[in-house]
């Protein structure tokens, strides 16, 4: 998307955690993290080693840590080059077997990853891939959700079942609603069209869709988003909401079945 390429990096502060959001490739985001207390720097995923390397250089930052969410090449493609150039230590999901290039530490659900003076908890969220993980900085109320959750969407089920993904999304729904979520793709405008096709009269969704249209027209990102916003508007987080079930003709059905139906509709949209 040409519009996205024109976007420049955006910087957010969450207490001691600085997050630089860097547009990469077609529609990916890379996230550079700095713990302001210790000066430690990390990246969540490595879509583009050159773009990430240039952004680090611009700031005079090194790279201590690479945090991978899943094995797909648009998330790990820069691992080896960035490790060679900066000596970064690579933390990635154990559940992806040997598909994380250069991985130094394999993590599982409940593991803690120290990042300078800060700490990220690992949540396993299988569905998009079988070993996908999310990094939750609970003290800062920030989550890096990779391709598990998108704004108004969720990842395609390449390696998991709808039931698995619904369980995975349940772990995100359990975070405090004010949690700020960084997802790995700018898919929001297309997701909004799909969500509106299911629930054209859902007021919070209509409002959010208008906001998204305005942001994209200005070349602004729609990421990050808050969990509370997603809980109200994202159909994939609302499979247990009777209104959403009714909108797909599944009144009274189990949430897993509603979720599976919504995911199938999106694949065909
Ligand atoms: Zn992916
Ligand atoms: Fe991806």
């Amino acid at each position: 998307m040409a519009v996205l390429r024109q976007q420049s990096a955006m910087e957010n502060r969450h207490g001691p955690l600085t997050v630089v959001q860097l547009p990469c490739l077609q529609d990916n985001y890379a996230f550079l993290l700095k713990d302001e207390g210790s000066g430690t720097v990390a990246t969540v995923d490595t879509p583009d080693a050159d773009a990430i390397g240039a952004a680090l250089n611009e700031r005079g930052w090194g790279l201590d840590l690479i945090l991978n969410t899943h094995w797909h090449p648009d998330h790990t493609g820069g691992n080896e080059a960035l490790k060679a150039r900066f000596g970064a230590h690579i933390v990635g999901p154990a559940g992806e077997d040997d598909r994380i290039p250069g991985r130094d530490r394999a993590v599982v659900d409940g593991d803690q990853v120290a990042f300078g003076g800060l700490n990220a908890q690992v949540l396993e969220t299988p569905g998009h891939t079988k070993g996908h993980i999310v990094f939750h900085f609970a003290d800062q109320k920030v989550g890096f959700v990779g391709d598990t959750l998108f704004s108004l969407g969720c990842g395609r089920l390449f390696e998991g079942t709808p039931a698995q993904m619904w369980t995975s999304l349940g772990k995100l729904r359990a975070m405090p609603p004010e949690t700020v979520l960084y997802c790995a793709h700018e898919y929001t405008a297309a997701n909004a069209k799909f969500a509106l096709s299911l629930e054209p009269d859902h007021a919070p969704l209509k409002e959010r869709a208008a906001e998204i249209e305005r942001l994209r027209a200005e070349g602004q990102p729609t990421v990050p988003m808050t969990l509370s916003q997603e809980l109200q508007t994202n159909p994939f987080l609302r499979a247990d909401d009777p209104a959403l079930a009714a909108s797909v003709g599944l009144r009274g059905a189990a949430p897993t079945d509603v979720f599976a139906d919504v995911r199938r509709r999106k694949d065909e949209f």
Side-chain angles (χ1 to χ4, degrees):
M1 240 182 273
V3 176
L4 188 61
R5 282 173 196 279
Q6 289 160 16
Q7 264 180 212
S8 50
M10 191 182 77
E11 201 167 308
N12 286 323
R13 275 296 287 270
H14 305 275
L17 175 65
T18 295
V19 179
V20 175
Q21 178 171 321
L22 193 65
C24 287
L25 309 178
Q26 286 289 103
D27 49 34
N28 278 80
Y29 290 116
F31 302 105
L32 309 182
L33 280 51
K34 187 176 189 198
D35 167 28
E36 298 293 343
S38 63
T40 309
V41 176
T43 178
V44 177
D45 290 332
T46 60
D48 183 334
D50 290 341
I52 292 169
L56 291 168
N57 276 352
E58 241 171 67
R59 292 168 175 76
W61 295 1
L63 183 63
D64 304 291
L65 200 60
I66 292 171
L67 303 172
N68 286 129
T69 60
H70 66 297
W71 72 267
H72 284 160
D74 62 314
H75 299 260
T76 59
N79 275 18
E80 303 273 24
L82 289 168
K83 185 178 182 172
R85 182 164 163 194
F86 294 97
H89 180 82
I90 301 182
V91 175
E96 303 288 45
D97 305 323
D98 59 0
R99 293 180 294 181
I100 306 290
R103 186 183 60 196
D104 296 298
R105 178 182 171 200
V107 291
V108 298
D109 199 61
D111 278 353
Q112 305 282 334
V113 178
F115 169 58
L118 312 181
N119 197 61
Q121 186 175 1
V122 174
L123 304 177
E124 286 181 344
T125 59
H128 178 65
T129 63
K130 76 185 185 75
H132 195 297
I133 59 173
V134 158
F135 295 94
H136 185 204
F137 290 81
D139 291 345
Q140 286 70 44
K141 294 192 162 67
V142 171
F144 294 90
V145 297
D147 286 0
T148 291
L149 184 76
F150 297 122
S151 184
L152 300 181
C154 77
R156 256 177 204 267
L157 302 181
F158 289 115
E159 299 176 10
T161 64
Q164 259 178 334
M165 188 59 140
W166 177 244
T167 301
S168 294
L169 292 174
K171 294 182 182 181
L172 305 187
R173 297 203 314 166
M175 291 176 178
E178 64 272 29
T179 304
V180 173
L181 300 175
Y182 288 89
C183 65
H185 290 273
E186 182 59 63
Y187 288 160
T188 316
N191 289 341
K193 284 201 182 74
F194 171 71
L196 280 169
S197 78
L198 301 181
E199 298 181 288
D201 300 321
H202 187 43
L205 176 61
K206 281 161 63 180
E207 262 172 54
R208 172 74 176 144
E211 169 75 357
I212 288 158
E213 203 171 315
R214 184 187 66 75
L215 287 169
R216 297 309 291 153
E218 293 170 2
Q220 297 294 318
T222 64
V223 175
M225 61 279 193
T226 62
L227 176 59
S228 68
Q229 194 171 54
E230 294 301 311
L231 289 171
Q232 288 181 59
T233 53
N234 186 328
F236 296 97
L237 292 182
R238 294 176 46 244
D240 59 349
D241 181 334
L244 194 268
S247 77
V248 292
L250 289 173
R251 205 182 294 271
T256 308
D257 294 330
V258 175
F259 177 82
D261 187 75
V262 173
R263 188 57 259 180
R264 182 188 54 75
R265 285 170 187 256
K266 177 65 167 69
D267 290 344
E268 292 165 3
F269 187 68

